[in-house]
Amino acid sequence: MIGYLIYLAAHLFTLFPAPSVAVQKLAPVKSDPLTKYIYLSFDDGPLPGTNNCINICEQEQVAATFFEVAFHQSRSNFGRSAYKRIASNPKLFLIANHSYSHAFYGDYIHYYHQSDSSLADFMKAGRILQTNNNIARLPGNNAWNTSNIKRASGLVRPLVKKMDSVGFNVVGWDMEWRYNSSGRPIDAPEKIAAFADSLLKFNKTKTNNHLVILMHDHEFRASADSAKLAKMIGLLKRNPNYQFRKLNTYPGLKK
Ligand SMILES: [Zn+2]
């Protein structure tokens, strides 16, 4: 707990308790001739927990996308070295843009009302993170803007339009592994894997047969919690039709 308070003080984020995802009780997924693609995505790093996410994905040999906050990357040796670890394994990992300041450190209304400075915040992050792609995710908002998917609330629409005009793909998520007020994952890995199965089985994803899972690096900083991440990935890997991919292979991205 003390460790977590230090973490909170250090990271300036407001963590909101969030309700647990609703999960339907379903029979195990039956074999399906269609391949289904899973995109693991970790937001807000580099933060405590990032190295555990890297270790587990490398152990399990599953691809993942890290939506990094450039301020976290650039402010410390820890941030730069975690970033380098991700960048050094391009076969498994993709680094994508999650802004420089994370919405002025969580001031979403102010950030999205100032679309010129928030666009500049993303451009600055792109330079620091040296992303070799045009994939971005908005802080605290599940907006999408690709060739195929357009989804933006009134609050974020001015920024999304500007990002579109300079060539960004904005990519949100289909489901989230939420965390509690202590920053720890709420649901059990079995529940998350079952929810992923059900979304794919019943075509409840933005693109059929493609599932984007949002997680946050810091959820997995404790070894008991990083074991849950490994468990969840192991459960998904049992399905022979599932393939793990980086988000640069998601269908319908603008070139
Ligand atoms: Zn975020």
Side-chain angles (χ1 to χ4, degrees):
M1 190 61 190
I2 288 167
Y4 186 67
L5 289 174
I6 292 166
Y7 159 80
L8 268 186
H11 294 99
L12 303 171
F13 281 125
T14 309
L15 301 177
F16 298 100
S20 158
V21 289
V23 175
Q24 303 173 49
K25 283 208 168 124
L26 298 165
V29 172
K30 291 199 178 97
S31 175
D32 182 331
L34 272 177
T35 302
K36 296 173 193 289
Y37 299 95
I38 294 177
Y39 307 82
L40 303 176
S41 62
F42 297 100
D43 282 18
D44 296 359
L47 283 177
T50 300
N51 282 311
N52 290 343
C53 299
I54 297 169
N55 292 343
I56 289 162
C57 290
E58 287 184 341
Q59 262 161 24
E60 298 290 334
Q61 283 295 296
V62 292
T65 300
F66 287 84
F67 282 92
E68 298 222 295
V69 172
F71 171 65
H72 293 169
Q73 185 266 13
S74 57
R75 69 181 162 167
S76 69
N77 287 334
F78 161 79
R80 285 184 289 273
S81 79
Y83 164 86
K84 275 185 197 153
R85 278 194 72 198
I86 301 166
S88 69
N89 194 347
K91 185 172 157 272
L92 280 190
F93 300 139
L94 184 77
I95 292 173
N97 191 330
H98 196 38
S99 82
Y100 176 80
S101 72
H102 204 277
F104 308 145
Y105 318 109
D107 185 358
Y108 298 117
I109 302 292
H110 186 206
Y111 190 75
Y112 292 120
H113 280 163
Q114 299 188 26
S115 53
D116 283 327
S117 62
S118 45
L119 177 64
D121 197 58
F122 272 92
M123 304 297 272
K124 181 178 178 183
R127 290 191 296 275
I128 293 171
L129 297 171
Q130 297 175 32
T131 49
N132 57 4
N133 59 74
N134 54 3
I135 299 170
R137 177 174 284 163
L138 300 194
N141 192 286
N142 191 8
W144 287 74
N145 190 287
T146 67
S147 297
N148 299 342
I149 309 171
K150 312 287 181 195
R151 182 185 194 272
S153 64
L155 176 66
V156 302
R157 202 168 296 138
L159 173 61
V160 169
K161 269 188 167 178
K162 283 177 182 161
M163 291 178 75
D164 181 47
S165 71
V166 298
F168 278 111
N169 287 287
V170 176
V171 176
W173 58 89
D174 293 301
M175 62 174 280
E176 177 179 2
W177 196 345
R178 293 172 183 272
Y179 53 85
N180 64 19
S181 56
S182 303
R184 303 187 63 182
I186 294 173
D187 285 315
E190 292 83 358
K191 197 168 176 181
I192 294 299
F195 191 53
D197 288 339
S198 70
L199 290 179
L200 284 165
K201 184 174 180 178
F202 295 106
N203 289 329
K204 298 290 188 193
T205 54
K206 303 283 183 306
T207 303
N208 285 351
N209 300 321
H210 294 264
L211 173 74
V212 182
I213 304 179
L214 164 64
M215 296 168 282
H216 289 82
D217 303 32
H218 67 75
E219 289 180 77
F220 306 111
R221 67 196 180 282
S223 56
D225 294 327
S226 61
K228 292 178 185 172
L229 174 62
K231 171 84 179 174
M232 192 277 287
I233 291 171
L235 290 169
L236 293 177
K237 280 174 73 180
R238 285 189 194 170
N239 187 320
N241 294 328
Y242 289 173
Q243 280 189 22
F244 292 82
R245 289 283 178 91
K246 297 178 286 185
L247 270 167
N248 56 351
T249 64
Y250 191 85
L253 296 183
K254 294 169 285 180
K255 298 292 171 209

